[in-house]
Amino acid sequence: AQSVTQLGSHVSVSEGALVLLRCNYSSSVPPYLFWYVQYPNQGLQLLLKYTSAATLVKGINGFEAEFKKSETSFHLTKPSAHMSDAAEYFCAVSHTGTASKLTFGTGTRLQVTL
Amino acid sequence: EPEVTQTPSHQVTQMGQEVILRCVPISNHLYFYWYRQILGQKVEFLVSFYNNEISEKSEIFDDQFSVERPDGSNFTLKIRSTKLEDSAMYFCASESGAGGNEQFFGPGTRLTVL
């Protein structure tokens, strides 16, 4: 079975500050890992994904994440927060291969203040 | 840019009634999914579908649920006799099958059971 733990249901940062959203996973097989963002009243948009190539993955909107097998982590970072980054962020894990279900974490709501 | 669409955006129904949630996946995608998100909780996998068959289903997906791809474009989720606890946001997703397990999500249907 696979699972994802996201530490911190709410994170607040100042505009221009570093964003760090934490994700730890559990998987008995090598995983694929994903970060999705959900803006209010919208669906889930893929930010980035790790699929066993480079461990440092760059995504859209300046976000990146690093896969650390030894720490079973896939934390999401952005050097400088923007007001438009305020949203809910979900980490997810799946088996490798096609048509594998996504198992999501509970989400982290990012608030960006002036 | 191709996108997954879902109708209706909001459905209100009485307990015990049947509902059908509709999705139009991205053209040429081969794998289809339904997920749900109860208010304030994480996104949960319901079912995956490929080649006109269910590939995998969760324990949530009991006999009250069914899926169908009736015409080669639509992908539907039917709940035969809705319960109060079925109130949730239901997301459809599709995947090309080209590898990487990248799932594209629709905007969701909010189901309210009274």
Side-chain angles (χ1 to χ4, degrees), chain A residues 36 49 94 98-100 102, chain B residues 31 33 35 42 101-103:
Chain A
Y36 281 85
K49 62 181 181 180
S94 79
T98 309
S100 296
L102 295 172
Chain B
Y31 299 88
Y33 306 82
Y35 293 84
K42 64 181 177 181
N101 201 25
E102 182 171 345
Q103 297 178 25

Side-chain angles (χ1 to χ4, degrees), chain A residues 19-101:
Chain A
V19 176
L20 171 61
L21 304 183
R22 298 178 187 274
C23 172
N24 289 87
Y25 70 91
S26 172
S27 178
S28 57
V29 297
Y32 284 172
L33 292 158
F34 307 82
W35 276 99
Y36 281 85
V37 60
Q38 185 180 32
Y39 297 102
N41 301 314
Q42 294 188 28
L44 298 162
Q45 181 184 5
L46 182 68
L47 273 179
L48 50 77
K49 62 181 181 180
Y50 165 77
T51 55
S52 70
T55 57
L56 182 61
V57 181
K58 294 187 185 298
I60 61 172
N61 302 338
F63 284 93
E64 62 182 39
E66 187 172 7
F67 172 70
K68 291 186 177 180
K69 184 179 178 181
S70 61
E71 299 177 7
T72 60
S73 68
F74 190 58
H75 302 330
L76 182 70
T77 60
K78 182 175 180 178
S80 176
H82 192 272
M83 295 295 288
S84 61
D85 295 326
E88 185 103 23
Y89 291 80
F90 292 94
C91 183
V93 63
S94 79
H95 290 298
T96 59
T98 309
S100 296
K101 67 180 181 185

